[in-house]
Amino acid sequence: MTEVPPSDQNSEVGVLASCVIDPNIVGKCMDRDFSCDTFYFPKHKLIFRAIESLWNEGGKIDEITLFQKLVESGVSEEVGGMHGINEITGAIDTTTNFDSWANSIEGHWARRKIVKLCQNGLDAIRAQELSVESVIETMDNNLINISKDRFKAEYFHDSTGATNEAVRSIEKRGSQSGKLGVPSGIIEIDYKLKGFKPSELTLVAARPSVG
């Protein structure tokens, strides 16, 4: 009996369906560095590759355009045609659980890479092609890279909302007259901030090497 590598078919279906139901989800997949290799099942690899292609082209993503892209690539029959696509998109009613599905896929992808890494290490040791030290160093470096990829999404934050809010706050203060808080003594800063206010933390910063 052949052992199936770490995978989660239901989560893969959930992510693919989410991408078609809400194309904005594709952007979240890109933020996580998803690729066709993130998926285990061949059919799902082909579908995500087509979704990624449509996203990069800036085209509309739905069942019809996805099917057309698969036809262009000559792999529509391999995914079951339009019936296969409808089967996937009809598997969920909402994208609410996308993060859970995506986390599951990422976890299994990391496990598959670790399994492959260990197998390669064992093969190298059995063949005595490399020294033990070289094998350990190679495995160590690859494990570090897998760890970085695994947790990269935890350190990604979209600062657009906070930036826009800060700009609106500064513009609002600039339109007001008079000093509403404690002056700093620096005319340009007081003009922008209208003085320092109680219970507010004001940070004044600049890019490196600009004085």
Side-chain angles (χ1 to χ4, degrees):
M1 182 176 179
T2 304
E3 184 177 353
V4 178
S7 57
D8 184 347
Q9 185 172 12
N10 291 332
S11 290
E12 290 190 10
V13 168
V15 167
L16 293 173
S18 297
C19 289
V20 178
I21 293 175
D22 180 5
N24 291 324
I25 294 292
V26 184
K28 293 185 178 181
C29 289
M30 297 299 103
D31 290 340
R32 289 172 175 262
D33 286 336
F34 272 25
S35 69
C36 60
D37 292 330
T38 310
F39 297 80
Y40 170 71
F41 298 93
K43 173 181 176 180
H44 298 163
K45 288 176 178 286
L46 295 173
I47 291 176
F48 188 79
R49 180 180 293 160
I51 290 174
E52 185 179 17
S53 179
L54 288 170
W55 172 265
N56 291 332
E57 294 170 1
K60 182 179 180 181
I61 300 177
D62 56 30
E63 288 95 335
I64 295 176
T65 57
L66 178 56
F67 176 68
Q68 291 174 339
K69 177 59 69 173
L70 291 167
V71 170
E72 291 175 8
S73 302
V75 295
S76 60
E77 293 184 2
E78 295 181 41
V79 304
M82 180 60 81
H83 174 72
I85 294 174
N86 290 335
E87 193 175 50
I88 287 178
T89 56
I92 66 172
D93 296 321
T94 176
T95 63
T96 303
N97 294 322
F98 166 76
D99 287 328
S100 176
W101 295 326
N103 289 338
S104 176
I105 292 177
E106 285 179 329
H108 288 301
W109 184 28
R111 293 183 184 95
R112 291 197 300 273
K113 288 190 287 187
I114 293 173
V115 168
K116 183 177 180 180
L117 175 62
C118 292
Q119 290 174 339
N120 291 340
L122 288 172
D123 292 341
I125 291 173
R126 291 193 182 105
Q128 298 183 3
E129 297 173 346
L130 301 172
S131 66
V132 174
E133 290 76 13
S134 296
V135 173
I136 293 175
E137 182 179 358
T138 299
M139 294 184 67
D140 188 40
N141 290 335
N142 286 329
L143 282 172
I144 291 174
N145 290 332
I146 291 173
S147 179
K148 287 180 179 179
D149 292 339
R150 176 76 177 86
F151 297 104
K152 185 181 296 183
E154 292 187 9
Y155 301 98
F156 178 83
H157 302 283
D158 185 357
S159 60
T160 303
T163 302
N164 291 338
E165 180 63 28
V167 170
R168 285 193 294 269
S169 177
I170 292 174
E171 291 177 343
K172 181 179 179 181
R173 290 183 178 185
S175 65
Q176 297 173 337
S177 60
K179 291 184 175 65
L180 304 181
V182 179
S184 67
I186 303 176
I187 297 176
E188 290 80 2
I189 292 180
D190 290 337
Y191 176 77
K192 290 290 186 181
L193 302 180
K194 299 301 180 185
F196 297 112
K197 316 297 187 304
S199 74
E200 283 190 357
L201 173 63
T202 304
L203 298 178
V204 181
R207 296 191 305 274
S209 302
V210 296

